[in-house]
Amino acid sequence: KLNAAKLRKANLEEADLRHANLTQAKLESANLTKAKLSFAIFNDADLIDANLNDADLIDSNLSHANLTDAHLKNTDLRNAN
């Protein structure tokens, strides 16, 4: 579990966080390029200015996540909510 984790500006490029619980995590300006995030839970997470380019967010839960200015080029958001 990584709920409420403070990962601001963290370099998580290509990280495998499938099925991770990142509820209320602070990921502002984090680098999640090419990260594997399918089935991850991002409820109320702070993803402001996060780099999610080429990331896999298939079936992830983004309920109430803040994606302001997030980078989503080629991000796979199939079945995400």
Side-chain angles (χ1 to χ4, degrees):
K1 283 186 175 179
L2 293 168
N3 13 340
K6 293 175 175 68
L7 298 166
R8 186 174 185 265
K9 294 187 178 182
N11 183 5
L12 299 168
E13 186 172 354
E14 297 187 32
D16 187 346
L17 295 169
R18 289 176 283 195
H19 298 275
N21 184 347
L22 291 149
T23 298
Q24 296 180 340
K26 306 300 182 203
L27 290 154
E28 181 180 350
S29 300
N31 180 8
L32 291 153
T33 303
K34 298 182 182 176
K36 295 174 183 78
L37 303 165
S38 57
F39 298 97
I41 302 169
F42 290 95
N43 294 339
D44 298 308
D46 177 359
L47 290 158
I48 295 170
D49 195 41
N51 186 344
L52 292 157
N53 291 338
D54 299 303
D56 171 4
L57 282 154
I58 296 170
D59 290 306
S60 62
N61 186 337
L62 296 157
S63 296
H64 304 287
N66 188 344
L67 291 158
T68 303
D69 295 325
H71 308 270
L72 300 166
K73 185 177 179 183
N74 298 319
T75 302
D76 194 339
L77 292 161
R78 284 179 288 162
N79 298 319
N81 69 352

